[in-house]
Amino acid sequence: MQVKEYKEQNFRLLICSESDRFEIERLSPRRHIGYLQMYEKGGQLEIRDLWIDEEPEDFRGNGFGSILIEHAFEYAKEKRIDSIFGHTQTDDYKVHRFYEKCGFKVFIDNKHNTAWFLYSSNVGLMDTPDFDQLAKLVGVGNKLGIYEFN
């Protein structure tokens, strides 16, 4: 496990490379803040879960999720992965805005009640993503009915 400490900002990042998981915790007083779980599939990086703790202390809205996403981008770059994706609920607008702020495009799939968030370092891929391939990667049917989230 690799550890990066950011003492001036009072947190450290634990990089669990064997499981594609990043954890973030406060240094003093020591407290778990959150984590990001990823999975490499078909030359793409899927964000399976991103969680920032709310209780007993709310760490949301303090930039910790963005820090984890930033490290996911670095991880993808090191592994020469061009695209990162994940999905969430269609009505979770706060999460949609978070991913948009981090550089992802958000697309809504009403048929499966799913919102897809996609990022690509290859701009051309973002113009015409292959939704059938994406759906196959995560086990969703091929007829998605997706439109861009506004």
Side-chain angles (χ1 to χ4, degrees):
M1 178 180 314
Q2 181 183 359
V3 177
K4 292 185 180 180
E5 287 198 3
Y6 301 84
K7 290 181 181 179
E8 67 282 354
Q9 297 170 332
N10 197 32
F11 74 88
R12 72 178 179 170
L13 186 68
L14 307 162
I15 302 169
C16 311
S17 56
E18 64 278 355
S19 65
D20 296 333
R21 180 180 170 100
F22 299 146
E23 295 180 19
I24 193 166
E25 63 183 29
R26 183 173 56 195
L27 291 171
S28 178
R30 193 166 179 185
R31 171 89 171 97
H32 178 77
I33 294 173
Y35 65 89
L36 179 129
Q37 180 72 44
M38 308 174 299
Y39 185 70
E40 190 175 342
K41 293 176 98 168
Q44 297 181 324
L45 189 64
E46 178 186 359
I47 294 177
R48 290 213 170 155
D49 199 10
L50 172 62
W51 182 256
I52 303 298
D53 285 344
E54 296 178 87
E55 294 183 15
E57 182 178 348
D58 190 357
F59 291 106
R60 292 183 176 189
N62 294 306
F64 294 113
S66 298
I67 290 167
L68 291 170
I69 291 294
E70 189 177 306
H71 284 280
F73 287 154
E74 288 177 19
Y75 176 90
K77 187 175 180 179
E78 288 172 10
K79 300 280 187 174
R80 299 178 192 242
I81 296 171
D82 291 331
S83 60
I84 303 171
F85 73 96
H87 56 90
T88 188
Q89 297 174 341
T90 57
D91 61 353
D92 203 345
Y93 304 114
K94 190 174 180 179
V95 172
H96 302 174
R97 297 292 180 235
F98 166 77
Y99 281 106
E100 286 176 332
K101 185 180 117 188
C102 291
F104 289 81
K105 287 181 90 173
V106 177
F107 299 86
I108 302 296
D109 169 8
N110 283 321
K111 181 178 179 183
H112 299 98
N113 196 29
T114 300
W116 299 95
F117 49 92
L118 306 162
Y119 172 84
S120 178
S121 58
N122 179 348
V123 178
L125 288 176
M126 289 309 297
D127 294 334
T128 56
D130 186 342
F131 294 118
D132 289 340
Q133 181 186 12
L134 184 63
K136 188 184 278 187
L137 281 171
V138 296
V140 176
N142 287 335
K143 297 182 188 263
L144 294 176
I146 293 178
Y147 62 90
E148 189 169 340
F149 179 74
N150 294 315

